[in-house]
């Protein structure tokens, strides 16, 4: 892997982890802020890289990654 490709993958991995961490806390990630924080030019750049490396946009990845995770407190609520 070339240094440029390695940097691309590392930047993507950092963004993916931060998006996942925000979703795990129950707070919607602000993709524009996250993009700048991870070194992308803008939110569109993040979205393009996400599609290229994950095969889907960040919103779809979040929906698929966290579809089986319950929100805090749901497991103990009476129905």
């Amino acid at each position: 892997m070339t240094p440029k490709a390695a940097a691309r993958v590392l930047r993507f991995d950092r963004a993916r982890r931060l998006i996942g961490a925000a979703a795990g806390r129950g707070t919607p990630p602000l993709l524009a802020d996250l993009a700048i924080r991870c070194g992308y030019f803008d939110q569109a750049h993040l979205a393009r890289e996400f599609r290229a490396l994950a095969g889907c946009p960040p919103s779809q990845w979040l929906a698929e990654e966290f579809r089986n995770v319950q929100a805090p407190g749901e497991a103990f609520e009476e129905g």
Side-chain angles (χ1 to χ4, degrees):
M1 185 178 289
T2 66
K4 186 173 181 175
R8 180 181 182 207
V9 170
L10 288 172
R11 181 176 54 200
F12 165 76
D13 185 58
R14 180 173 183 222
R16 182 194 54 79
R17 285 185 288 115
L18 289 172
I19 291 169
R25 289 189 306 269
T27 58
L30 301 173
L31 295 179
D33 293 338
L34 187 130
I36 298 302
R37 185 173 168 192
C38 292
Y40 293 98
F41 294 114
D42 54 18
Q43 183 176 341
H45 184 206
L46 168 67
R48 279 192 308 275
E49 287 288 284
F50 219 93
R51 275 190 226 93
L53 295 171
C56 61
S59 58
Q60 182 181 346
W61 179 82
L62 275 170
E64 291 174 5
E65 188 73 16
F66 291 95
R67 76 175 138 215
N68 294 321
V69 177
Q70 293 179 339
E74 280 186 16
F76 300 105
E77 290 181 14
E78 293 182 2

